[in-house]
Amino acid sequence: MRKRNESVTVEHERAAAAAAAVPGPLDKGCSLRRSLRLPASAAAEGMKRPLGRRYGLWFRLRKLLLWLLGMYIAIPFLVKLCPAIQAKLVFLNFVRVPYFIDLKRPQDQGLNHTCNYYLQPEEDVTIGVWHTVPAALWKNARGKDQLWFEEALGSSHPVILYLHGNAGTRGGDHRVELYKVLSSLGYHVVTFDYRGWGDSIGSPSERGMTYDALHVFDWIKARSGDNPVYIWGHSLGTGVATNLVRRLCERETPPDALILESPFTNIREEARSHPFSVIYRYFPGFDWFFLDPITTSGIKFANDENVKYISCSLLILHAEDDPVVPFHLGKKLYNIAATSRSFRDYKVQFVPFHTDLGYRHKYIYRSPELPRILREFLGKSEHEHHH
């Protein structure tokens, strides 16, 4: 009996040992987790990598922001210490657009009835001039030399002296398109690049630009006989135009009319309103940092003062959606001129172009109304002038 009990006990112990040797479902999961568990150091390194990448990106971004902030603060001081920088930004004569153009060959721009001249207003100053004859003379102008073009100014057609704005040259696309429109309307168009622009030689300045315009005007008058001569200024060219016409009126040789396209009141107000000044407009000491250096450089272009001394008919053209010279500056200039005693015996007209037309700063030449506007205004101007 004792032997039987001992055998049963041995068998039970063997069975228990066998059961312990075979892992159950719970043991399997625990052993799997133990086998997949990473060392503590490896887990820490894995967490550090994305944190390190994020920290490196933030560090670079913060460095860039600090650099931009430093530049933002440094630029006003740089402009104040070097007024020539601000003068360069006003003139933009170093921006030549389109760049690949031979100004000696206006025919490359579709101006087959145009002659290129060079005039010398002062010693060491040479300016490039284009003279486009009226479209009616197109066939006769083909292949003709400078002498023929100069003599053509004496034909029975009015002359427009066109003074362009900053940047680019006399061969700018929108300028060429305006020459074509005016030529088709029967006008001679004489335009030029101020000293320092295009292929003209010399250093730009307000005084120099005005003197260049005076020289070309006198050159025209010496050849145009009794034909009317009108002066058309665009953008910065309106400043040159009012400087010129004020001087002509003071010496009692006014033009037959003055046309200002997209004009401003004075260069300080224009600079304050220009899109380039947006990021600094509320910068402490904006006028002292940015506007005073312009004045220090001798640049004023004071249209609002000049119109008080001008005695000839005045036409102002301005697009409401002009992003460069705000519409309200052109309107303000008109209000000053309209109440000036100098215009008491002359017509002053303001023509706005609605935003929906999309003429912006330099596309008024596209207006189908422009021929009618010029015909009605300049016709009246001629009548007033001769009476």
Side-chain angles (χ1 to χ4, degrees):
M1 190 71 181
R2 184 179 296 170
K3 290 180 179 178
R4 187 174 176 183
N5 290 337
E6 290 176 355
S7 64
V8 170
T9 301
V10 171
E11 288 177 0
H12 179 72
E13 290 174 354
R14 287 176 180 172
V22 178
L26 184 60
D27 294 330
K28 285 181 181 179
C30 291
S31 63
L32 183 61
R33 280 194 295 273
R34 282 196 300 270
S35 66
L36 292 175
R37 189 174 298 154
L38 294 173
S41 61
E45 287 179 12
M47 292 180 67
K48 283 180 181 178
R49 284 172 189 164
L51 286 174
R53 282 197 294 269
R54 285 197 293 270
Y55 178 77
L57 180 62
W58 165 243
F59 177 77
R60 287 194 293 271
L61 181 59
R62 187 176 64 177
K63 189 176 179 180
L64 176 62
L65 290 174
L66 288 173
W67 183 85
L68 290 174
L69 179 61
M71 288 296 294
Y72 179 78
I73 295 172
I75 285 174
F77 289 93
L78 186 63
V79 170
K80 184 64 180 178
L81 292 172
C82 304
I85 295 175
Q86 194 70 319
K88 284 284 187 183
L89 293 176
V90 170
F91 297 136
L92 289 178
N93 58 302
F94 56 91
V95 178
R96 182 168 174 169
V97 180
Y99 186 79
F100 297 104
I101 175 176
D102 185 355
L103 293 170
K104 295 182 179 67
R105 293 178 52 82
Q107 60 268 30
D108 292 347
Q109 308 307 308
L111 297 171
N112 296 319
H113 51 320
T114 299
C115 185
N116 180 66
Y117 310 148
Y118 290 98
L119 302 178
Q120 192 171 12
E122 295 178 306
E123 189 177 355
D124 299 326
V125 175
T126 303
I127 57 175
V129 182
W130 279 1
H131 172 198
T132 301
V133 297
L137 302 178
W138 176 77
K139 290 184 178 179
N140 294 335
R142 296 178 67 181
K144 296 297 193 301
D145 59 9
Q146 178 175 335
L147 181 60
W148 183 90
F149 276 83
E150 290 187 30
E151 291 176 349
L153 285 169
S155 63
S156 57
H157 294 276
V159 183
I160 291 179
L161 170 58
Y162 179 78
L163 306 172
H164 68 65
N166 67 355
T169 67
R170 62 190 184 276
D173 293 341
H174 64 283
R175 294 162 187 163
V176 169
E177 293 305 314
L178 178 63
Y179 310 155
K180 292 177 180 178
V181 170
L182 297 178
S183 172
S184 70
L185 296 176
Y187 299 101
H188 288 275
V189 182
V190 178
T191 187
F192 66 96
D193 281 322
Y194 316 104
R195 61 186 71 188
W197 272 260
D199 58 353
S200 296
I201 299 170
S203 298
S205 67
E206 180 176 354
R207 187 207 69 82
M209 295 163 71
T210 303
Y211 191 80
D212 293 344
L214 177 62
H215 182 81
V216 177
F217 178 84
D218 288 341
W219 180 88
I220 292 170
K221 289 295 288 183
R223 292 158 178 78
S224 60
D226 294 329
N227 295 324
V229 178
Y230 310 119
I231 294 173
W232 183 313
H234 173 244
S235 192
L236 188 66
T238 64
V240 181
T242 63
N243 281 347
L244 169 63
V245 176
R246 176 178 176 174
R247 192 163 175 176
L248 293 175
C249 290
E250 287 174 346
R251 75 176 194 185
E252 300 182 354
T253 57
D256 292 87
L258 171 62
I259 302 167
L260 301 178
E261 179 188 358
S262 306
F264 48 85
T265 47
N266 58 71
I267 199 63
R268 287 180 70 97
E269 288 196 2
E270 163 54 16
R272 188 182 291 113
S273 305
H274 198 279
F276 286 168
S277 69
V278 169
I279 60 173
Y280 282 107
R281 198 167 294 160
Y282 303 104
F283 189 88
F286 174 81
D287 285 17
W288 188 77
F289 279 112
F290 292 98
L291 303 185
D292 289 352
I294 298 177
T295 308
T296 302
S297 300
I299 303 172
K300 296 180 180 179
F301 291 115
N303 290 336
D304 50 356
E305 283 299 313
N306 288 338
V307 294
K308 297 174 183 177
Y309 300 91
I310 289 175
S311 300
C312 69
S313 296
L314 172 65
L315 172 64
I316 296 177
L317 310 171
H318 214 137
E320 293 178 354
D321 58 338
D322 190 329
V324 178
V325 180
F327 178 78
H328 71 87
L329 291 185
K331 187 68 174 178
K332 183 178 179 180
L333 181 64
Y334 165 73
N335 290 333
I336 294 171
T339 57
S340 173
R341 293 180 60 187
S342 64
F343 286 102
R344 185 174 49 215
D345 299 324
Y346 298 93
K347 182 177 179 62
V348 179
Q349 183 177 348
F350 183 85
V351 180
F353 294 87
H354 197 272
T355 300
D356 293 344
L357 297 171
Y359 294 152
R360 297 174 68 78
H361 183 59
K362 56 186 181 182
Y363 301 113
I364 287 177
Y365 72 83
R366 294 177 178 173
S367 172
E369 294 297 312
L370 187 60
R372 178 190 60 78
I373 293 168
L374 294 177
R375 184 170 59 251
E376 292 180 358
F377 180 81
L378 295 179
K380 291 180 181 178
S381 298
E382 288 179 44
H383 177 76
E384 291 171 1
H385 177 75
H386 290 304
H387 284 75

